[in-house]
Amino acid sequence: AILRPSLLDHWAQTANDCLDGKTPLEAAADPEQRIALEACVAQLETIFEPQDIGPAGEEIARPLREKLGLSTELELSEDSELRIYQLRWLDAEKLNDETLIGAFLAAHAFAANRAILRLGRELLRRPEKADSQAHFAFVHGVVARALGEREEALEHLRKCRELVIARGESPGFLVASELMILFRLQRMDEFMELAKDMRQRFPNDRQVIESLGMVMNAIRQFTEQNQPGPAPEPGVMENAPQPGGLWTPDSAAEAPA
C-alpha cells in the first residue's frame, strides 16, 4: 500500500471500533478518546513509516495530525517516558546533544525513517559536537538510507564518501549505492563520471572494484526484466570481479568513534 493524502482523509472520516465506533474526526472532539486516538494514529504512522516521505522529502502524514489537533512538536521533560513512535515528533532543535544522539541511535535501531531525518539533520547542523569524522559519516549514511532514491540522498552519500576517503577507508559500498540511484534517476553523465573517477582513483581497491561489478550486474538484470534504459559503457567497469555481499549505508561507517 502507498500512503496518500486521500487515503488519510478517508481514514479520518471512517468509523473505528477502537474509538467506540466514532470516526477519528469525531474522536478528536472528545477528550476521553484522546489517548485512544493518539494510539490509532501512532499505529497508522508505524505501518506506513517507509512511505511517509513525499517526493520532496515532505511528511505526508503530518497534515492528519494537524487536522485532528494532535501534537507535531514534542518536548521532553526530565520525567518523560519516550516511546518509539514519538521519536518522529521530537523538537530536535531543543534537545541537548546527549539526548539528540541517543534519540537518533534509537530511531536508527528501529528504522524509524521520519525520526531519522528529523534528528539526523539536526545532528549534522552541530558540527562542533561531532566526535570525529566517523561520527558524521555514520549520520550521513543513515540519513541517506532513510531518504531512499531522492536527490537529498545523493548529497548525503557524497558527503559520507568524502569523509570515508579522508579517513583512508574504502568508499566502495557507498559508490555502489550512489551509482544505482543515479542510474534509476537516469542521470547517466554523472553515473559515468563517478564510475570512471572511482576506477581511476582506486584501481587496486577490492571493495570499489567489487561494487562496480555489483552495479553492472544489477543493471544488466534490471534491463533484462524491464524496458531497456540507457546503460553505462562497459569499458568503465570491465574486468570487475563478482561482488561478495550486499550494501547498506552502515557498511561504510559501522563503528562511529
Side-chain angles (χ1 to χ4, degrees), residues 16 27 34 46 58 97-98 142 170 173 175 180-181 184 204 224 231 243-244 255:
N16 193 314
R34 202 68 175 177
T46 300
E58 72 274 17
D97 298 327
E98 182 179 356
V142 174
S170 173
F173 296 111
V175 170
M180 288 306 302
I181 294 177
R184 292 187 179 280
N204 300 314
E224 288 174 359

Side-chain angles (χ1 to χ4, degrees), residues 221-242:
Q221 293 178 11
F222 178 83
T223 53
E224 288 174 359
Q225 298 172 5
N226 301 275
Q227 290 292 331
E233 297 175 9
V236 176
M237 295 183 284
E238 63 186 358
N239 300 323
Q242 294 296 316

